[in-house]
PDB file of all heavy atoms in Angstrom:
ATOM      1  N   LEU A 204       6.511 -15.929 -22.244  1.00  0.00           N
ATOM      2  CA  LEU A 204       6.127 -14.616 -22.726  1.00  0.00           C
ATOM      3  C   LEU A 204       6.608 -13.600 -21.712  1.00  0.00           C
ATOM      4  O   LEU A 204       6.225 -13.657 -20.516  1.00  0.00           O
ATOM      5  CB  LEU A 204       4.611 -14.517 -22.893  1.00  0.00           C
ATOM      6  CG  LEU A 204       4.039 -13.159 -23.295  1.00  0.00           C
ATOM      7  CD1 LEU A 204       4.479 -12.777 -24.698  1.00  0.00           C
ATOM      8  CD2 LEU A 204       2.524 -13.163 -23.201  1.00  0.00           C
ATOM      9  N   ASP A 205       7.502 -12.708 -22.111  1.00  0.00           N
ATOM     10  CA  ASP A 205       7.975 -11.675 -21.223  1.00  0.00           C
ATOM     11  C   ASP A 205       6.998 -10.496 -21.256  1.00  0.00           C
ATOM     12  O   ASP A 205       6.655  -9.984 -22.327  1.00  0.00           O
ATOM     13  CB  ASP A 205       9.358 -11.163 -21.635  1.00  0.00           C
ATOM     14  CG  ASP A 205      10.430 -12.188 -21.368  1.00  0.00           C
ATOM     15  OD1 ASP A 205      10.312 -12.936 -20.380  1.00  0.00           O
ATOM     16  OD2 ASP A 205      11.395 -12.257 -22.144  1.00  0.00           O
ATOM     17  N   THR A 206       6.564 -10.046 -20.099  1.00  0.00           N
ATOM     18  CA  THR A 206       5.673  -8.876 -20.021  1.00  0.00           C
ATOM     19  C   THR A 206       6.355  -7.851 -19.153  1.00  0.00           C
ATOM     20  O   THR A 206       6.793  -8.144 -18.054  1.00  0.00           O
ATOM     21  CB  THR A 206       4.324  -9.254 -19.404  1.00  0.00           C
ATOM     22  OG1 THR A 206       4.525  -9.894 -18.135  1.00  0.00           O
ATOM     23  CG2 THR A 206       3.532 -10.201 -20.319  1.00  0.00           C
ATOM     24  N   GLU A 207       6.454  -6.633 -19.658  1.00  0.00           N
ATOM     25  CA  GLU A 207       7.127  -5.585 -18.895  1.00  0.00           C
ATOM     26  C   GLU A 207       6.176  -4.939 -17.905  1.00  0.00           C
ATOM     27  O   GLU A 207       6.544  -4.590 -16.820  1.00  0.00           O
ATOM     28  CB  GLU A 207       7.706  -4.564 -19.853  1.00  0.00           C
ATOM     29  CG  GLU A 207       8.588  -3.549 -19.119  1.00  0.00           C
ATOM     30  CD  GLU A 207       9.441  -2.760 -20.022  1.00  0.00           C
ATOM     31  OE1 GLU A 207      10.429  -3.273 -20.517  1.00  0.00           O
ATOM     32  OE2 GLU A 207       9.125  -1.575 -20.246  1.00  0.00           O
ATOM     33  N   SER A 208       4.931  -4.755 -18.286  1.00  0.00           N
ATOM     34  CA  SER A 208       3.953  -4.127 -17.449  1.00  0.00           C
ATOM     35  C   SER A 208       3.113  -5.158 -16.710  1.00  0.00           C
ATOM     36  O   SER A 208       2.665  -6.129 -17.314  1.00  0.00           O
ATOM     37  CB  SER A 208       3.036  -3.193 -18.236  1.00  0.00           C
ATOM     38  OG  SER A 208       3.788  -2.133 -18.787  1.00  0.00           O
ATOM     39  N   ASN A 209       2.910  -4.969 -15.425  1.00  0.00           N
ATOM     40  CA  ASN A 209       2.151  -5.914 -14.614  1.00  0.00           C
ATOM     41  C   ASN A 209       0.862  -5.272 -14.092  1.00  0.00           C
ATOM     42  O   ASN A 209       0.879  -4.100 -13.719  1.00  0.00           O
ATOM     43  CB  ASN A 209       2.983  -6.356 -13.429  1.00  0.00           C
ATOM     44  CG  ASN A 209       4.222  -7.094 -13.840  1.00  0.00           C
ATOM     45  OD1 ASN A 209       4.170  -7.987 -14.632  1.00  0.00           O
ATOM     46  ND2 ASN A 209       5.369  -6.689 -13.283  1.00  0.00           N
ATOM     47  N   PRO A 210      -0.200  -6.028 -14.041  1.00  0.00           N
ATOM     48  CA  PRO A 210      -1.449  -5.503 -13.428  1.00  0.00           C
ATOM     49  C   PRO A 210      -1.280  -5.386 -11.927  1.00  0.00           C
ATOM     50  O   PRO A 210      -0.721  -6.262 -11.270  1.00  0.00           O
ATOM     51  CB  PRO A 210      -2.498  -6.533 -13.807  1.00  0.00           C
ATOM     52  CG  PRO A 210      -1.751  -7.779 -14.045  1.00  0.00           C
ATOM     53  CD  PRO A 210      -0.390  -7.401 -14.551  1.00  0.00           C
ATOM     54  N   LYS A 211      -1.736  -4.259 -11.398  1.00  0.00           N
ATOM     55  CA  LYS A 211      -1.660  -3.998  -9.946  1.00  0.00           C
ATOM     56  C   LYS A 211      -2.973  -3.331  -9.534  1.00  0.00           C
ATOM     57  O   LYS A 211      -3.800  -2.939 -10.360  1.00  0.00           O
ATOM     58  CB  LYS A 211      -0.498  -3.042  -9.605  1.00  0.00           C
ATOM     59  CG  LYS A 211       0.867  -3.537  -9.999  1.00  0.00           C
ATOM     60  CD  LYS A 211       1.369  -4.600  -9.057  1.00  0.00           C
ATOM     61  CE  LYS A 211       2.817  -4.961  -9.431  1.00  0.00           C
ATOM     62  NZ  LYS A 211       3.387  -5.870  -8.483  1.00  0.00           N
ATOM     63  N   ILE A 212      -3.128  -3.200  -8.215  1.00  0.00           N
ATOM     64  CA  ILE A 212      -4.254  -2.452  -7.670  1.00  0.00           C
ATOM     65  C   ILE A 212      -3.704  -1.257  -6.916  1.00  0.00           C
ATOM     66  O   ILE A 212      -2.736  -1.389  -6.159  1.00  0.00           O
ATOM     67  CB  ILE A 212      -5.107  -3.321  -6.697  1.00  0.00           C
ATOM     68  CG1 ILE A 212      -5.649  -4.542  -7.414  1.00  0.00           C
ATOM     69  CG2 ILE A 212      -6.227  -2.464  -6.062  1.00  0.00           C
ATOM     70  CD1 ILE A 212      -6.635  -4.271  -8.528  1.00  0.00           C
ATOM     71  N   LYS A 213      -4.248  -0.097  -7.127  1.00  0.00           N
ATOM     72  CA  LYS A 213      -3.816   1.138  -6.452  1.00  0.00           C
ATOM     73  C   LYS A 213      -4.907   1.569  -5.479  1.00  0.00           C
ATOM     74  O   LYS A 213      -6.064   1.685  -5.831  1.00  0.00           O
ATOM     75  CB  LYS A 213      -3.551   2.238  -7.453  1.00  0.00           C
ATOM     76  CG  LYS A 213      -3.014   3.508  -6.795  1.00  0.00           C
ATOM     77  CD  LYS A 213      -2.671   4.545  -7.896  1.00  0.00           C
ATOM     78  CE  LYS A 213      -2.113   5.788  -7.261  1.00  0.00           C
ATOM     79  NZ  LYS A 213      -1.794   6.799  -8.300  1.00  0.00           N
ATOM     80  N   PHE A 214      -4.493   1.771  -4.235  1.00  0.00           N
ATOM     81  CA  PHE A 214      -5.352   2.303  -3.193  1.00  0.00           C
ATOM     82  C   PHE A 214      -4.944   3.750  -2.947  1.00  0.00           C
ATOM     83  O   PHE A 214      -3.760   4.065  -2.884  1.00  0.00           O
ATOM     84  CB  PHE A 214      -5.185   1.561  -1.889  1.00  0.00           C
ATOM     85  CG  PHE A 214      -5.758   0.160  -1.849  1.00  0.00           C
ATOM     86  CD1 PHE A 214      -5.098  -0.908  -2.397  1.00  0.00           C
ATOM     87  CD2 PHE A 214      -7.037  -0.042  -1.301  1.00  0.00           C
ATOM     88  CE1 PHE A 214      -5.637  -2.179  -2.366  1.00  0.00           C
ATOM     89  CE2 PHE A 214      -7.565  -1.274  -1.274  1.00  0.00           C
ATOM     90  CZ  PHE A 214      -6.912  -2.353  -1.820  1.00  0.00           C
ATOM     91  N   GLU A 215      -5.939   4.618  -2.799  1.00  0.00           N
ATOM     92  CA  GLU A 215      -5.714   6.009  -2.383  1.00  0.00           C
ATOM     93  C   GLU A 215      -6.516   6.204  -1.096  1.00  0.00           C
ATOM     94  O   GLU A 215      -7.741   5.963  -1.077  1.00  0.00           O
ATOM     95  CB  GLU A 215      -6.195   6.980  -3.429  1.00  0.00           C
ATOM     96  CG  GLU A 215      -5.307   6.950  -4.696  1.00  0.00           C
ATOM     97  CD  GLU A 215      -5.714   7.990  -5.734  1.00  0.00           C
ATOM     98  OE1 GLU A 215      -6.723   8.686  -5.539  1.00  0.00           O
ATOM     99  OE2 GLU A 215      -4.995   8.098  -6.715  1.00  0.00           O
ATOM    100  N   ILE A 216      -5.818   6.602  -0.048  1.00  0.00           N
ATOM    101  CA  ILE A 216      -6.421   6.744   1.276  1.00  0.00           C
ATOM    102  C   ILE A 216      -6.035   8.110   1.777  1.00  0.00           C
ATOM    103  O   ILE A 216      -4.869   8.513   1.745  1.00  0.00           O
ATOM    104  CB  ILE A 216      -5.904   5.658   2.230  1.00  0.00           C
ATOM    105  CG1 ILE A 216      -6.059   4.256   1.626  1.00  0.00           C
ATOM    106  CG2 ILE A 216      -6.630   5.739   3.564  1.00  0.00           C
ATOM    107  CD1 ILE A 216      -4.777   3.506   1.552  1.00  0.00           C
ATOM    108  N   VAL A 217      -6.992   8.859   2.364  1.00  0.00           N
ATOM    109  CA  VAL A 217      -6.675  10.137   2.974  1.00  0.00           C
ATOM    110  C   VAL A 217      -6.936   9.990   4.487  1.00  0.00           C
ATOM    111  O   VAL A 217      -8.012   9.547   4.873  1.00  0.00           O
ATOM    112  CB  VAL A 217      -7.536  11.297   2.371  1.00  0.00           C
ATOM    113  CG1 VAL A 217      -7.243  12.609   3.104  1.00  0.00           C
ATOM    114  CG2 VAL A 217      -7.238  11.423   0.888  1.00  0.00           C
ATOM    115  N   VAL A 218      -5.917  10.368   5.256  1.00  0.00           N
ATOM    116  CA  VAL A 218      -6.019  10.286   6.723  1.00  0.00           C
ATOM    117  C   VAL A 218      -5.794  11.650   7.315  1.00  0.00           C
ATOM    118  O   VAL A 218      -5.247  12.546   6.667  1.00  0.00           O
ATOM    119  CB  VAL A 218      -5.030   9.248   7.303  1.00  0.00           C
ATOM    120  CG1 VAL A 218      -5.402   7.833   6.817  1.00  0.00           C
ATOM    121  CG2 VAL A 218      -3.630   9.547   6.953  1.00  0.00           C
ATOM    122  N   SER A 219      -6.180  11.798   8.577  1.00  0.00           N
ATOM    123  CA  SER A 219      -6.171  13.116   9.205  1.00  0.00           C
ATOM    124  C   SER A 219      -4.900  13.482   9.965  1.00  0.00           C
ATOM    125  O   SER A 219      -4.732  14.645  10.316  1.00  0.00           O
ATOM    126  CB  SER A 219      -7.375  13.221  10.163  1.00  0.00           C
ATOM    127  OG  SER A 219      -7.270  12.184  11.164  1.00  0.00           O
ATOM    128  N   SER A 220      -4.018  12.534  10.228  1.00  0.00           N
ATOM    129  CA  SER A 220      -2.866  12.827  11.058  1.00  0.00           C
ATOM    130  C   SER A 220      -1.686  11.889  10.773  1.00  0.00           C
ATOM    131  O   SER A 220      -1.857  10.854  10.128  1.00  0.00           O
ATOM    132  CB  SER A 220      -3.244  12.698  12.524  1.00  0.00           C
ATOM    133  OG  SER A 220      -3.519  11.331  12.854  1.00  0.00           O
ATOM    134  N   GLU A 221      -0.533  12.252  11.335  1.00  0.00           N
ATOM    135  CA  GLU A 221       0.639  11.412  11.170  1.00  0.00           C
ATOM    136  C   GLU A 221       0.494  10.063  11.867  1.00  0.00           C
ATOM    137  O   GLU A 221       1.002   9.053  11.409  1.00  0.00           O
ATOM    138  CB  GLU A 221       1.890  12.138  11.643  1.00  0.00           C
ATOM    139  CG  GLU A 221       2.282  13.274  10.739  1.00  0.00           C
ATOM    140  CD  GLU A 221       3.533  14.027  11.181  1.00  0.00           C
ATOM    141  OE1 GLU A 221       4.139  13.630  12.237  1.00  0.00           O
ATOM    142  OE2 GLU A 221       3.891  15.033  10.541  1.00  0.00           O
ATOM    143  N   SER A 222      -0.236  10.039  12.980  1.00  0.00           N
ATOM    144  CA  SER A 222      -0.419   8.754  13.662  1.00  0.00           C
ATOM    145  C   SER A 222      -1.285   7.807  12.801  1.00  0.00           C
ATOM    146  O   SER A 222      -1.011   6.602  12.744  1.00  0.00           O
ATOM    147  CB  SER A 222      -1.030   8.959  15.072  1.00  0.00           C
ATOM    148  OG  SER A 222      -2.305   9.604  14.978  1.00  0.00           O
ATOM    149  N   TRP A 223      -2.315   8.368  12.125  1.00  0.00           N
ATOM    150  CA  TRP A 223      -3.115   7.542  11.212  1.00  0.00           C
ATOM    151  C   TRP A 223      -2.291   7.156   9.989  1.00  0.00           C
ATOM    152  O   TRP A 223      -2.485   6.058   9.462  1.00  0.00           O
ATOM    153  CB  TRP A 223      -4.348   8.320  10.784  1.00  0.00           C
ATOM    154  CG  TRP A 223      -5.510   8.112  11.700  1.00  0.00           C
ATOM    155  CD1 TRP A 223      -5.947   8.980  12.655  1.00  0.00           C
ATOM    156  CD2 TRP A 223      -6.314   6.917  11.836  1.00  0.00           C
ATOM    157  NE1 TRP A 223      -7.003   8.402  13.331  1.00  0.00           N
ATOM    158  CE2 TRP A 223      -7.253   7.148  12.835  1.00  0.00           C
ATOM    159  CE3 TRP A 223      -6.341   5.705  11.152  1.00  0.00           C
ATOM    160  CZ2 TRP A 223      -8.205   6.216  13.211  1.00  0.00           C
ATOM    161  CZ3 TRP A 223      -7.288   4.792  11.515  1.00  0.00           C
ATOM    162  CH2 TRP A 223      -8.194   5.040  12.526  1.00  0.00           C
ATOM    163  N   GLU A 224      -1.407   8.023   9.557  1.00  0.00           N
ATOM    164  CA  GLU A 224      -0.532   7.704   8.420  1.00  0.00           C
ATOM    165  C   GLU A 224       0.289   6.455   8.758  1.00  0.00           C
ATOM    166  O   GLU A 224       0.357   5.495   7.991  1.00  0.00           O
ATOM    167  CB  GLU A 224       0.375   8.881   8.100  1.00  0.00           C
ATOM    168  CG  GLU A 224       1.428   8.569   7.031  1.00  0.00           C
ATOM    169  CD  GLU A 224       2.440   9.707   6.899  1.00  0.00           C
ATOM    170  OE1 GLU A 224       2.662  10.444   7.868  1.00  0.00           O
ATOM    171  OE2 GLU A 224       3.021   9.819   5.790  1.00  0.00           O
ATOM    172  N   LYS A 225       0.933   6.462   9.906  1.00  0.00           N
ATOM    173  CA  LYS A 225       1.783   5.337  10.305  1.00  0.00           C
ATOM    174  C   LYS A 225       0.962   4.088  10.450  1.00  0.00           C
ATOM    175  O   LYS A 225       1.340   3.004   9.954  1.00  0.00           O
ATOM    176  CB  LYS A 225       2.501   5.626  11.629  1.00  0.00           C
ATOM    177  CG  LYS A 225       3.404   4.509  12.087  1.00  0.00           C
ATOM    178  CD  LYS A 225       4.154   4.838  13.317  1.00  0.00           C
ATOM    179  CE  LYS A 225       5.037   3.726  13.862  1.00  0.00           C
ATOM    180  NZ  LYS A 225       5.083   2.470  13.167  1.00  0.00           N
ATOM    181  N   LEU A 226      -0.197   4.154  11.126  1.00  0.00           N
ATOM    182  CA  LEU A 226      -1.084   2.997  11.330  1.00  0.00           C
ATOM    183  C   LEU A 226      -1.499   2.411   9.970  1.00  0.00           C
ATOM    184  O   LEU A 226      -1.494   1.186   9.758  1.00  0.00           O
ATOM    185  CB  LEU A 226      -2.306   3.431  12.138  1.00  0.00           C
ATOM    186  CG  LEU A 226      -3.288   2.307  12.525  1.00  0.00           C
ATOM    187  CD1 LEU A 226      -2.676   1.306  13.435  1.00  0.00           C
ATOM    188  CD2 LEU A 226      -4.531   2.962  13.163  1.00  0.00           C
ATOM    189  N   THR A 227      -1.852   3.295   9.029  1.00  0.00           N
ATOM    190  CA  THR A 227      -2.326   2.891   7.715  1.00  0.00           C
ATOM    191  C   THR A 227      -1.207   2.210   6.898  1.00  0.00           C
ATOM    192  O   THR A 227      -1.410   1.155   6.337  1.00  0.00           O
ATOM    193  CB  THR A 227      -2.914   4.057   6.952  1.00  0.00           C
ATOM    194  OG1 THR A 227      -4.009   4.628   7.743  1.00  0.00           O
ATOM    195  CG2 THR A 227      -3.478   3.636   5.593  1.00  0.00           C
ATOM    196  N   ILE A 228      -0.055   2.838   6.879  1.00  0.00           N
ATOM    197  CA  ILE A 228       1.069   2.279   6.139  1.00  0.00           C
ATOM    198  C   ILE A 228       1.477   0.941   6.713  1.00  0.00           C
ATOM    199  O   ILE A 228       1.731   0.010   5.926  1.00  0.00           O
ATOM    200  CB  ILE A 228       2.245   3.296   6.124  1.00  0.00           C
ATOM    201  CG1 ILE A 228       1.903   4.483   5.197  1.00  0.00           C
ATOM    202  CG2 ILE A 228       3.549   2.636   5.699  1.00  0.00           C
ATOM    203  CD1 ILE A 228       2.926   5.605   5.274  1.00  0.00           C
ATOM    204  N   ASP A 229       1.502   0.813   7.997  1.00  0.00           N
ATOM    205  CA  ASP A 229       1.853  -0.459   8.600  1.00  0.00           C
ATOM    206  C   ASP A 229       0.868  -1.551   8.260  1.00  0.00           C
ATOM    207  O   ASP A 229       1.244  -2.677   7.971  1.00  0.00           O
ATOM    208  CB  ASP A 229       1.957  -0.308  10.138  1.00  0.00           C
ATOM    209  CG  ASP A 229       3.170   0.466  10.597  1.00  0.00           C
ATOM    210  OD1 ASP A 229       4.105   0.722   9.774  1.00  0.00           O
ATOM    211  OD2 ASP A 229       3.194   0.857  11.783  1.00  0.00           O
ATOM    212  N   ALA A 230      -0.437  -1.211   8.277  1.00  0.00           N
ATOM    213  CA  ALA A 230      -1.470  -2.189   7.956  1.00  0.00           C
ATOM    214  C   ALA A 230      -1.374  -2.635   6.487  1.00  0.00           C
ATOM    215  O   ALA A 230      -1.487  -3.816   6.170  1.00  0.00           O
ATOM    216  CB  ALA A 230      -2.840  -1.593   8.227  1.00  0.00           C
ATOM    217  N   VAL A 231      -1.171  -1.667   5.588  1.00  0.00           N
ATOM    218  CA  VAL A 231      -1.039  -1.985   4.148  1.00  0.00           C
ATOM    219  C   VAL A 231       0.169  -2.836   3.902  1.00  0.00           C
ATOM    220  O   VAL A 231       0.088  -3.882   3.208  1.00  0.00           O
ATOM    221  CB  VAL A 231      -0.978  -0.706   3.288  1.00  0.00           C
ATOM    222  CG1 VAL A 231      -0.641  -1.037   1.830  1.00  0.00           C
ATOM    223  CG2 VAL A 231      -2.329   0.028   3.338  1.00  0.00           C
ATOM    224  N   ARG A 232       1.307  -2.476   4.497  1.00  0.00           N
ATOM    225  CA  ARG A 232       2.533  -3.257   4.260  1.00  0.00           C
ATOM    226  C   ARG A 232       2.386  -4.685   4.760  1.00  0.00           C
ATOM    227  O   ARG A 232       2.735  -5.611   4.045  1.00  0.00           O
ATOM    228  CB  ARG A 232       3.710  -2.601   4.956  1.00  0.00           C
ATOM    229  CG  ARG A 232       4.995  -3.383   4.650  1.00  0.00           C
ATOM    230  CD  ARG A 232       6.234  -2.708   5.215  1.00  0.00           C
ATOM    231  NE  ARG A 232       7.419  -3.395   4.753  1.00  0.00           N
ATOM    232  CZ  ARG A 232       7.950  -4.479   5.329  1.00  0.00           C
ATOM    233  NH1 ARG A 232       7.369  -4.992   6.404  1.00  0.00           N
ATOM    234  NH2 ARG A 232       9.034  -5.069   4.821  1.00  0.00           N
ATOM    235  N   LYS A 233       1.813  -4.838   5.916  1.00  0.00           N
ATOM    236  CA  LYS A 233       1.660  -6.212   6.458  1.00  0.00           C
ATOM    237  C   LYS A 233       0.721  -7.024   5.572  1.00  0.00           C
ATOM    238  O   LYS A 233       0.985  -8.179   5.300  1.00  0.00           O
ATOM    239  CB  LYS A 233       1.081  -6.106   7.866  1.00  0.00           C
ATOM    240  CG  LYS A 233       0.916  -7.454   8.560  1.00  0.00           C
ATOM    241  CD  LYS A 233       0.427  -7.300   9.970  1.00  0.00           C
ATOM    242  CE  LYS A 233       0.223  -8.684  10.604  1.00  0.00           C
ATOM    243  NZ  LYS A 233      -0.329  -8.605  11.939  1.00  0.00           N
ATOM    244  N   ALA A 234      -0.374  -6.410   5.122  1.00  0.00           N
ATOM    245  CA  ALA A 234      -1.375  -7.141   4.299  1.00  0.00           C
ATOM    246  C   ALA A 234      -0.863  -7.449   2.913  1.00  0.00           C
ATOM    247  O   ALA A 234      -1.227  -8.484   2.331  1.00  0.00           O
ATOM    248  CB  ALA A 234      -2.666  -6.342   4.229  1.00  0.00           C
ATOM    249  N   ALA A 235      -0.029  -6.590   2.347  1.00  0.00           N
ATOM    250  CA  ALA A 235       0.423  -6.740   0.946  1.00  0.00           C
ATOM    251  C   ALA A 235       1.742  -7.550   0.828  1.00  0.00           C
ATOM    252  O   ALA A 235       2.095  -7.952  -0.261  1.00  0.00           O
ATOM    253  CB  ALA A 235       0.625  -5.359   0.324  1.00  0.00           C
ATOM    254  N   TYR A 236       2.402  -7.796   1.933  1.00  0.00           N
ATOM    255  CA  TYR A 236       3.728  -8.411   1.899  1.00  0.00           C
ATOM    256  C   TYR A 236       3.708  -9.902   1.526  1.00  0.00           C
ATOM    257  O   TYR A 236       2.945 -10.677   2.055  1.00  0.00           O
ATOM    258  CB  TYR A 236       4.376  -8.287   3.294  1.00  0.00           C
ATOM    259  CG  TYR A 236       5.740  -8.879   3.400  1.00  0.00           C
ATOM    260  CD1 TYR A 236       6.850  -8.204   2.937  1.00  0.00           C
ATOM    261  CD2 TYR A 236       5.923 -10.163   3.887  1.00  0.00           C
ATOM    262  CE1 TYR A 236       8.132  -8.761   3.004  1.00  0.00           C
ATOM    263  CE2 TYR A 236       7.165 -10.726   3.988  1.00  0.00           C
ATOM    264  CZ  TYR A 236       8.276 -10.027   3.525  1.00  0.00           C
ATOM    265  OH  TYR A 236       9.518 -10.582   3.626  1.00  0.00           O
ATOM    266  N   THR A 237       4.561 -10.245   0.550  1.00  0.00           N
ATOM    267  CA  THR A 237       4.818 -11.647   0.238  1.00  0.00           C
ATOM    268  C   THR A 237       6.324 -11.943   0.381  1.00  0.00           C
ATOM    269  O   THR A 237       6.720 -13.111   0.522  1.00  0.00           O
ATOM    270  CB  THR A 237       4.417 -12.020  -1.210  1.00  0.00           C
ATOM    271  OG1 THR A 237       5.276 -11.396  -2.149  1.00  0.00           O
ATOM    272  CG2 THR A 237       2.953 -11.676  -1.497  1.00  0.00           C
TER     273      THR A 237
END
């Protein structure tokens, strides 16, 4: 069965600075990576 749409989870995070942005993006990428 071919399915075009896939179920995903969306996170929305608000951070106060560019240093938090980088830290958050790095953490998410590492945790979500397969």
Side-chain angles (χ1 to χ4, degrees):
L204 175 66
D205 290 327
T206 55
E207 189 165 284
S208 296
N209 297 311
K211 301 284 185 175
I212 301 296
K213 182 177 182 180
F214 287 83
E215 293 183 353
I216 309 123
V217 177
V218 296
S219 59
S220 67
E221 289 180 4
S222 60
W223 272 103
E224 174 189 25
K225 180 177 178 0
L226 183 66
T227 303
I228 289 172
D229 289 347
V231 170
R232 183 176 188 274
K233 183 178 178 184
Y236 179 82
T237 69

